[in-house]
Amino acid sequence: MIQVNNLGIQFGKRTLFSDVNLTFNKGNCYGIIGANGAGKSTFMRILSGQLSPTQGSVTFGPGERLSVLSQDHFEFDECSVIETVMRGHEVLWNIIQEKEALYAKPDFSDEDGIKAAELEEKFAELEGWNAESDAAALLSGLGIKEDRHYMLMKDISANEKVRVLLAKALFGNPDNLLLDEPTNDLDLETVSWLENYLSNFENTVLVVSHDRHFLDAVSTHTLDIDYNKISLFAGNYSFWYQSSQLALRQQQAANKKAEEKRKELLEFIQRFSANVAKSKQTTSRKKMLEKLNIEEIQPSSRRYPGIIFTPNREVGNKILEVKGLSASVDGETLFKDINFQVEKGDKIAFLSRDPRAMTALFEIITGNRKPDSGSFEWGQTITSAYLPLDNGSFFETDLNLVDWLTQYSDDSSEIYIKGFLGKMLFSGEEVLKKASVLSGGEKIRCMIARMMLTDANTLVLDSPTNHLDLESIQAFNNTLQTFKGVILMSSHDHEFIQTVCNRIIELTPNGIIDKIMEYDDYVTDEKVAAARQRLYSVQS
């Protein structure tokens, strides 16, 4: 349990939030949402003790242990992987260290024996004998192979470090768990594993994430940071989003009678609670939704970008044909001898256990990289727009945003360019910012504006939700669902794939799996699972 009393934080004259009084109870998972800069990570840092609030206090249940997902990827570089995970339970780790130091003494005394016995008793109470095997199980669940468990942290990849630090946070069944963006750099399989783990976690969890499917899968409550306060709602992100959108529509319909508004909101809550499923907390969540005070529901103050793609012409019968295409990196095969045709109406999600495979394919078909072998051919009616994974080279310039975007436009009038920047939430003096100083999210929004200018009928999107906030992701997602052209994309966002794509192509070093089906069906299909196991296990 975590108790927050009269909490507030202020930086200079700016107040992020104040007068926060909340209790986070065992058995619940609280998804924290809010616009960029609203204070999500600040709130987590206050809870973890890394930052002192301007006012108020945070208390925990007696004797309860807090675990936090570390953001420092270099802190444990000189430790082994398995040791790093076990350090997640600080009390147990200190006991292990004390025991080892005692038993290593050349002059082991009777007093040392008494101390060792006390430590052994505490060690047994904390199930220390299972610690190493439990740590190994977590690592394996998160995709870290056994042959890497005893390597030093400095010798494993950045993506693997993320998983090890996540295992460290989960280790030892902490009473209270704080996770800030835990799905970053995780593949879809590992995110699914984490969803299942947290859905069955019996203690208190607070999580910040831009992954809507993940929030929906694990959250029993939503904590919304808006209007300089923190509001708690029963239900997951989708419930919050749909209810806030409904409240916004009602606010815009100013002539609607109060009783009609109330009735509409109540009907919405009842429909939503009836559809709640998939969680062990289903019954209690439905009860909470039914008791929800509808007067608390109000429109969000957050802004959503206006992402609109308008194809300049309809795609013809021939879109893209790929023949015998192969690619590798430093002698390691990413995909080999692949063949497929893109058809009219296709919205294809490309998957792979190695994300470099999708990037290599997109770079090849957009003409930015040569394949090892094979060929590809676009149809004559196709105009494509590409959102690359790495956009850094586009912003190595001192141009302001108006001049930067003008480079990619046939119409160079300032009003026209500012209109596109405005759709991407750049207004006033912001349009004169230098392109070189933009944040990751701002760069992606500029790249989307660049794509919108092309009026392309085929979109190639490499991890399009990277660096975007929930509002931008939602807007992007909504427009892709109604886009009239062809989409080729990769993504770590389950909801993005499920709601946009109608075909899945998985790239492996030994061939492809190509299925016309929704993503939810793909991940549960037994024949697909057997094919994946065969293709990934074949020695190249």
Side-chain angles (χ1 to χ4, degrees):
M1 183 192 78
I2 305 175
Q3 183 82 42
V4 174
N5 299 299
N6 197 35
L7 198 69
I9 185 75
Q10 186 173 338
F11 296 102
K13 294 183 179 180
R14 186 189 176 205
T15 298
L16 284 184
F17 45 81
S18 60
D19 302 319
V20 179
N21 293 279
L22 295 167
T23 301
F24 304 110
N25 291 311
K26 180 178 179 179
N28 291 328
C29 178
Y30 302 85
I32 304 175
I33 63 172
N36 282 351
K40 300 184 295 295
S41 294
T42 298
F43 183 62
M44 294 283 266
R45 290 176 64 206
I46 291 172
L47 295 181
S48 68
Q50 297 171 342
L51 180 67
S52 297
T54 307
Q55 65 179 54
S57 63
V58 177
T59 56
F60 299 90
E64 289 189 349
R65 187 167 71 87
L66 173 69
S67 186
V68 181
L69 176 60
S70 174
Q71 302 297 328
D72 185 348
H73 294 181
F74 305 100
E75 183 180 357
F76 303 98
D77 271 3
E78 298 304 322
C79 302
S80 71
V81 167
I82 200 86
E83 176 188 325
T84 300
V85 176
M86 292 170 65
R87 282 174 174 266
H89 195 321
E90 189 174 352
V91 174
L92 176 59
W93 179 250
N94 289 339
I95 289 172
I96 291 171
Q97 296 303 103
E98 279 192 75
K99 277 176 53 184
E100 289 180 357
L102 273 176
Y103 291 136
K105 290 179 68 174
D107 53 344
F108 190 84
S109 64
D110 290 343
E111 188 178 337
D112 291 331
I114 294 170
K115 179 64 175 176
E118 292 173 353
L119 291 172
E120 292 289 3
E121 185 178 353
K122 291 178 183 176
F123 182 76
E125 287 175 1
L126 296 173
E127 299 184 356
W129 299 112
N130 300 322
E132 195 163 329
S133 60
D134 288 347
L138 280 173
L139 287 167
S140 296
L142 288 164
I144 304 296
K145 295 179 179 178
E146 288 184 21
D147 61 0
R148 307 185 81 72
H149 289 189
Y150 292 91
M151 293 176 62
L152 291 179
M153 287 286 283
K154 66 182 180 182
D155 296 327
I156 64 175
S157 69
N159 282 354
E160 288 173 320
K161 282 185 177 181
V162 169
R163 296 162 191 249
V164 175
L165 293 175
L166 181 53
K168 174 181 176 289
L170 300 177
F171 179 70
N173 194 39
D175 301 289
N176 302 287
L177 180 59
L178 306 183
L179 302 174
D180 194 349
E181 297 292 355
T183 62
N184 281 2
D185 299 313
L186 299 185
D187 60 26
L188 290 162
E189 284 182 285
T190 310
V191 171
S192 179
W193 178 92
L194 183 59
E195 287 174 1
N196 290 330
Y197 185 94
L198 292 179
S199 293
N200 293 303
F201 189 72
E202 296 181 349
N203 294 329
T204 306
V205 185
L206 281 82
V207 59
V208 174
S209 179
H210 288 156
D211 187 326
R212 296 158 301 155
H213 184 275
F214 177 75
L215 285 177
D216 280 350
V218 304
S219 298
T220 59
H221 297 71
T222 296
L223 208 63
D224 181 31
I225 304 180
D226 201 1
Y227 301 105
N228 301 115
K229 63 181 183 179
I230 302 180
S231 304
L232 179 63
F233 299 96
N236 57 21
Y237 171 76
S238 288
F239 173 75
W240 171 86
Y241 174 73
Q242 292 175 37
S243 61
S244 69
Q245 291 296 297
L246 176 58
L248 177 61
R249 290 194 297 273
Q250 291 188 338
Q251 186 184 69
Q252 292 168 343
N255 60 346
K256 204 169 199 178
K257 292 180 181 178
E259 189 54 39
E260 288 177 359
K261 292 182 181 181
R262 182 179 180 83
K263 183 179 178 182
E264 187 177 357
L265 277 170
L266 282 171
E267 287 174 354
F268 167 74
I269 292 167
Q270 288 165 0
R271 284 198 311 274
F272 193 92
S273 62
N275 290 332
V276 171
K278 196 181 174 182
S279 169
K280 64 175 183 175
Q281 295 96 352
T282 294
T283 303
S284 61
R285 192 183 301 182
K286 284 178 67 176
K287 288 179 180 176
M288 286 184 287
L289 284 172
E290 288 160 1
K291 294 177 181 177
L292 182 65
N293 179 4
I294 63 170
E295 304 304 328
E296 295 175 355
I297 298 176
Q298 59 181 323
S300 169
S301 69
R302 300 197 274 285
R303 296 185 300 160
Y304 292 78
I307 302 176
I308 304 169
F309 296 110
T310 52
N312 57 359
R313 64 183 297 184
E314 187 179 351
V315 297
N317 291 326
K318 182 173 182 179
I319 297 167
L320 173 65
E321 185 174 12
V322 169
K323 293 182 178 178
L325 215 59
S326 301
S328 60
V329 174
D330 298 327
E332 185 179 353
T333 300
L334 299 176
F335 51 82
K336 182 172 61 179
D337 195 27
I338 64 170
N339 302 275
F340 63 87
Q341 281 188 224
V342 178
E343 307 291 343
K344 214 171 190 178
D346 274 349
K347 294 183 178 180
I348 306 175
F350 288 87
L351 311 178
S352 179
R353 289 183 180 174
D354 190 337
R356 296 177 300 173
M358 287 90 76
T359 297
L361 175 65
F362 294 156
E363 286 288 296
I364 289 168
I365 64 175
T366 54
N368 296 306
R369 172 177 173 165
K370 297 289 186 184
D372 292 352
S373 60
S375 63
F376 66 93
E377 186 177 6
W378 290 98
Q380 291 185 349
T381 63
I382 301 305
T383 53
S384 64
Y386 179 36
L387 182 63
L389 180 66
D390 182 3
N391 57 42
S393 62
F394 289 88
F395 298 94
E396 294 173 354
T397 174
D398 286 331
L399 293 175
N400 64 42
L401 295 192
V402 173
D403 293 337
W404 181 89
L405 192 57
T406 301
Q407 300 175 99
Y408 307 106
S409 176
D410 292 332
D411 186 338
S412 60
S413 69
E414 190 170 297
I415 292 176
Y416 181 74
I417 297 299
K418 283 184 175 180
F420 279 88
L421 290 171
K423 289 185 178 78
M424 292 297 103
L425 306 182
F426 295 103
S427 59
E429 294 299 312
E430 288 181 317
V431 301
L432 300 179
K433 288 173 69 172
K434 288 188 177 181
S436 58
V437 302
L438 299 180
S439 68
E442 288 172 328
K443 287 178 180 177
I444 294 291
R445 283 190 272 127
C446 282
M447 293 295 288
I448 293 171
R450 174 179 175 268
M451 293 178 72
M452 287 163 56
L453 285 167
T454 65
D455 294 332
N457 56 24
T458 299
L459 306 179
V460 183
L461 309 170
D462 194 352
S463 300
T465 62
N466 281 11
H467 304 294
L468 292 181
D469 57 23
L470 277 169
E471 292 70 47
S472 298
I473 291 171
Q474 191 74 58
F476 208 166
N477 197 161
N478 291 347
T479 199
L480 292 185
Q481 289 181 64
T482 57
F483 179 64
K484 300 300 183 184
V486 169
I487 298 173
L488 313 178
M489 77 174 199
S490 68
S491 179
H492 292 302
D493 189 313
H494 185 123
E495 187 76 7
F496 222 75
I497 297 176
Q498 171 60 22
T499 56
V500 171
C501 298
N502 53 23
R503 180 178 173 188
I504 311 292
I505 296 180
E506 184 156 3
L507 308 171
T508 83
N510 301 291
I512 65 171
I513 303 169
D514 188 349
K515 296 289 182 181
I516 298 175
M517 60 170 58
E518 292 186 347
Y519 181 66
D520 281 348
D521 295 329
Y522 185 86
V523 296
T524 58
D525 190 285
E526 292 183 0
K527 290 182 179 179
V528 169
R532 297 178 82 241
Q533 185 174 5
R534 175 176 55 81
L535 287 170
Y536 282 113
S537 62
V538 173
Q539 295 298 313
S540 300

